[in-house]
Amino acid sequence: MIVFPNCKINLGLHILRKRSDGFHDLETIFYPIPVTDALEVISSQELHFESSGISVPGKLADNLCLRAYQLLRHDYPTLPSVSIHLHKHIPIGAGLGGGSSDAAFMLQLLNTKYQLNLTASALIAYAAQLGSDCPFFISNEPCFATGRGEIMEPLQLDLSAYSFLLVHPGIHVNTGWAFQQLSPQVPARSLKEVIELPVAEWKAVLSNDFEKPVFGQHPVLGTIKERMYENGAIYAAMSGSGSAVYGIFPKNKIADIFWDASYRVFTIR
């Protein structure tokens, strides 16, 4: 069975306060984007994982697909061993939620393939154990997210009338460092209110708190954002804590922009 985990972008991101558990309360808008990995699972005599495409860093035991499998196997001991193949296409460490998406799609794939009959709410509860962004990919619909990102409220937000340009220059932003640069505060206007404004007004009011420190450390990211505006973007921003930058353009009117050959560039028309 094969599924295609997609990525997301953040439309605005505010860090509101630091919590007693060491995490931060935030508010953001998650919006799904059809740039995908490919994830295949087949029954096997023993548990096996392999990947292709972009190299997946870290220890095998920490891989989110394997952790998703082990999480379900703990509660469903009859779940058979599987062979997992992940073709990684979504840039890693880019603020696009690719790893979280892989984990969430793994949970859904196992639920469907092996008829575990888990409800959406049960899958969300499992996903929350794997990462703050993971629950979003169970519903995979635009939403207003609070808490650590796991408390979600669906939004009637449709940007299909626009085209998207997504650029990742290969820079890795340390999320822990990025949080340390911020002074959390509650904004005057909630993103839930701001997002209701016309897209043409977002440039002045829709912001990502991480941009100032991250652009200061990596000026090329600010340059990418400005080049998008110079070439017709209605709105442009960094996703999450970076380092992917996206632009929203009029439908099918993305200019031919020359980017460094090392950049990964995605056009969603």
Side-chain angles (χ1 to χ4, degrees), residues 101-119:
S101 181
D102 295 336
F105 273 73
M106 183 68 178
L107 292 172
Q108 295 176 96
L109 186 157
L110 293 171
N111 184 47
T112 299
K113 182 175 178 64
Y114 297 109
Q115 300 180 346
L116 303 181
N117 298 317
L118 291 166
T119 63

Side-chain angles (χ1 to χ4, degrees), residues 10-55:
N10 295 80
L11 298 169
L13 176 54
H14 295 155
I15 308 304
L16 308 178
R17 64 189 66 86
K18 189 167 184 178
R19 297 153 43 132
S20 59
D21 60 6
F23 291 97
H24 291 80
D25 281 326
L26 58 82
E27 65 168 12
T28 190
I29 307 294
F30 288 135
Y31 194 86
I33 295 291
V35 174
T36 69
D37 291 338
L39 178 64
E40 181 180 28
V41 170
I42 60 174
S43 298
S44 177
Q45 294 299 311
E46 59 183 22
L47 180 61
H48 175 73
F49 175 86
E50 64 180 11
S51 64
S52 58
I54 299 172
S55 178

Side-chain angles (χ1 to χ4, degrees), residues 74-92:
H74 180 269
D75 290 347
Y76 296 85
T78 59
L79 189 66
S81 296
V82 296
S83 179
I84 305 164
H85 183 97
L86 174 66
H87 182 75
K88 196 70 187 154
H89 182 61
I90 301 169
I92 295 172

